[in-house]
Amino acid sequence: MAVPIRTAVAALCTGLAAALLTTAPARAEKQEHTWAVSASAQAPRARISLDDGTGTLSLSVTRAGRTVIEPSPIGIVTEQADLSQDLRFLHRKNRTIDERYRTKSGKRLDRRVRMNETRLSFATPTGARLDLVVRASADGVAYRYVLPAASGDVLGETSAFHLPPDASAWLGTYRADNEGQFVPYTAATAPTGEYSDQALFATDGGYTLLAESDLTGTYSGARLTHDQGTGAYRVKLADDRVRTDGPLATPWRAMVTGDLATVTRSTFTDDLAPASKAGDTSWIKPGTALWTWLAGGRPAGQSLAAQKAYVDYAAERGWPYEAVDAGWYFKADAWDTTDPDWQTNSWMPELVEYARAKGVGIIVWIHQRDLDTAGERARWLPTLERWGVQGVKIDFMDSEAQATLKWYDAILPETAAHHLLVNFHGSTIPKGIQRTWPHVMTLEGVAGEEKRTNTAAHLTTLPFTRNVVGSMDFTPGAFQRVGLRPNSDAAEAGLAVAYESGLQMFAGTPESYDARPLARDYFDQVPAAWDDTRLLAGRPGQEAVLARRSGDRWFLGGVYAGAARRAEVPLTIGPGRWLVETIEDGTGGLVQRRQVLRGGDRIAVDVVANGGFAGIACAWRPGLTSCYR
């Protein structure tokens, strides 16, 4: 019996070995062609798949097992190779990113970044190489392409985002100045056309804001193209050909995702961006400003006397900046920049000195065409620094083409070297720029207060779209524009907090503020840098109530669209008892209410049609009667 048993055992072992040899490679091959990346079990999960037959890549995102982004194509095409198909997998490399950084402005100053990163390497049959880098954090997923040198110019991407057709969508029609209004659709019913890449969707996996980060002159800005009837949103570049010189890392295609509070509070696009390149940042000081354009227009910009009067008002209010807009160097007092003695003929040094004596810094408007060459920048920027100007508002770039992005790359280190704060208008949107260049205080890229066609619904959508990705120069406070803005006075006051901007430019006239002393005194209290941000209540297009903390005080800003209502807002700013002071619309103008509430209680506010409120909350103690200082 012994010999047959040994023979049987040997035969069994041989059969098992053969089975393992034939099945093991199949299991390994299947695993190699599907990869998952996530920061934790509760965080969004990216799944990257390589189709064996076509060699094409796709990426999908889920959260808690629910759909965020359906499988969507990934790929890039250069003049040397089509890197969207016929790919074969080479290898995978993982790493963890854990870092801290501090900003000068934004939703919170101290940031902690924790991400898991996977780098997947592929090659075509001809040997062309593509690395796909995917990052995942608690509030987002992002990917970028990395190409070796000699890959050739980029001719386009096949990248797209596929949403469930019935997903709710809030989209802004694409404009070069990024000033389109956000309108609600579903993913499939949005009209055929081009949309801003800051598109918000709601699926069963929560809310997702599409975005971009680390955009520089090495590449081209992106927009989304859509065909009605589908849930597909394809990436289209501003340039038909992106010039490359050496290795290339494209911008991040980012998906900020989670519940609405998570998306609103997210700093994901900043977290993806490179660290600060500004060196010493001690001179960078965010603040509120009296902006004179809507208050006085071009005539005020051409008048030294008018500007001194605005400086006087800013000093009286304790506002740290006054912004002089267009007109001050266009034949002002019979001089312009074509005059060889223009630097000595200007009254700007006199205004700067006048303002400095009163504790007010001057910010000046400049057209981009006057700074578009190295020679012009060498003439302007040192002169402004010598005069003592604190910052520049640069206007009318109106492009996200590679050539314009290279101009940004040039002027950013130059303005930092000359200690000039920057406010970009007619511009791209932040896309991580404020982490890399913290002297960039704010950017327009929004249908702001100047627009006469804004709706209350648009105003309630901005905290969940444009303002998620960085500071937004909406210029609130234009109380004098009654009939030209869609909201109430209390809502207008609330915008100063609902919208974050490192330079919060108040757009009203001194007379309009003095006619509304409650709003004026509230603006005196509002800072422009925040230690924390929380969403108290919100639904895009309907309501947005944000709380932002500065030190031991929380500032509240609420905006609503639609009929009058009794709003009840949860006071989720921490335990204990709070003194809450709100500014609301009354029958004869603005009114103020004070109440003591516990953390978690609800603030009841009577909101007028398309109204809102502003407020301050501070820890209550016996005898405390106001949070104002």
Side-chain angles (χ1 to χ4, degrees), residues 392-424:
V392 287
K393 174 183 173 180
I394 308 173
D395 208 344
F396 295 117
M397 284 67 72
D398 291 339
S399 171
E400 293 180 310
Q402 187 177 26
T404 303
L405 297 176
K406 286 182 178 295
W407 173 84
Y408 282 100
D409 293 345
I411 201 165
L412 284 164
E414 293 172 348
T415 47
H418 291 290
H419 291 183
L420 293 168
L421 305 177
V422 175
N423 174 1
F424 287 121

Side-chain angles (χ1 to χ4, degrees), residues 108-150:
R108 56 186 177 278
L109 302 182
D110 289 309
R111 313 279 180 87
R112 177 73 180 271
V113 181
R114 290 174 174 169
M115 300 184 190
N116 285 337
E117 178 184 284
T118 285
R119 188 182 186 112
L120 302 171
S121 296
F122 303 92
T124 68
T126 60
R129 292 286 300 271
L130 168 69
D131 281 6
L132 175 69
V133 183
V134 183
R135 288 185 181 177
S137 72
D139 57 355
V141 168
Y143 68 87
R144 76 188 324 173
Y145 307 115
V146 178
L147 306 179

Side-chain angles (χ1 to χ4, degrees), residues 534 554 571-578 598-600:
R534 295 184 186 179
W554 285 91
L571 188 67
T572 51
I573 58 175
R577 303 181 74 182
W578 297 90
R598 292 190 178 275

Side-chain angles (χ1 to χ4, degrees), residues 88-104:
R88 60 182 177 87
F89 174 66
L90 298 178
H91 52 79
R92 174 182 184 174
K93 184 178 181 180
N94 298 327
R95 73 181 181 115
T96 299
I97 298 165
D98 191 339
E99 59 190 21
R100 295 179 183 271
Y101 67 98
R102 184 172 173 84
T103 67
K104 286 292 185 174

Side-chain angles (χ1 to χ4, degrees), residues 169-189:
W170 293 267
L171 306 174
T173 300
Y174 179 79
R175 292 172 43 136
D177 57 9
N178 290 287
E179 295 180 21
Q181 291 194 23
F182 288 90
V183 178
Y185 303 102
T186 67
T189 59

Side-chain angles (χ1 to χ4, degrees), residues 35 42 62 96 161 190 203 272 307 316 368 460 520 555 625:
W35 305 269
Q42 294 75 37
T62 57
T96 299
F161 302 94
T203 68
L272 290 165
Q307 292 302 321
E316 178 186 346
Q368 188 269 347
T460 65
R520 179 198 63 196
F555 290 75
T625 60

